[in-house]
Amino acid sequence: MSKEKRRHIRTPFACRIKIVHDSIGELLVKTRDISDGGVFVVLEPEQIPPIGSVVAGQVQGLMDDAPILQMEVVRVEPVGVGLRFLHND
């Protein structure tokens, strides 16, 4: 029996995004997959902010004025973090 908690289907997707957080500064990182609820980004272990941290992210190279999104670190793996999109409703 699967213990899968995700509500959204993940799709492999590689692009570059800029993420910004006080603990890591500004980094240009690569995505591994994306869903309607969030994105997984590849980071070095020393670059990983703690779970619960909110980072700002912006896709690079796909459009001139891509929106800056707020995302929360919800999962940490040795190769990166799962970020949940925060919606400002």
Side-chain angles (χ1 to χ4, degrees), residues 2-57:
S2 174
K3 292 187 178 186
E4 182 66 46
K5 294 187 213 176
R6 292 181 183 87
R7 289 183 274 172
H8 305 286
I9 296 171
R10 292 179 293 163
T11 302
F13 181 71
C15 74
R16 296 250 178 232
I17 67 169
K18 178 172 61 176
I19 59 172
V20 180
H21 184 266
D22 289 343
S23 71
I24 58 172
E26 184 176 294
L27 296 174
L28 189 60
V29 298
K30 190 168 90 170
T31 63
R32 182 177 76 184
D33 57 57
I34 193 166
S35 75
D36 288 342
V39 64
F40 187 93
V41 297
V42 178
L43 293 171
E44 296 296 324
E46 66 273 5
Q47 298 172 320
I48 296 176
I51 289 179
S53 299
V54 174
V55 302

Side-chain angles (χ1 to χ4, degrees), residues 35-84:
S35 75
D36 288 342
V39 64
F40 187 93
V41 297
V42 178
L43 293 171
E44 296 296 324
E46 66 273 5
Q47 298 172 320
I48 296 176
I51 289 179
S53 299
V54 174
V55 302
Q58 182 182 40
V59 172
Q60 303 293 294
L62 295 181
M63 59 179 95
D64 290 336
D65 291 327
I68 297 172
L69 303 175
Q70 298 300 306
M71 300 174 285
E72 178 185 7
V73 178
V74 293
R75 190 174 83 249
V76 173
E77 294 183 5
V79 296
V81 295
L83 301 171
R84 178 176 62 92

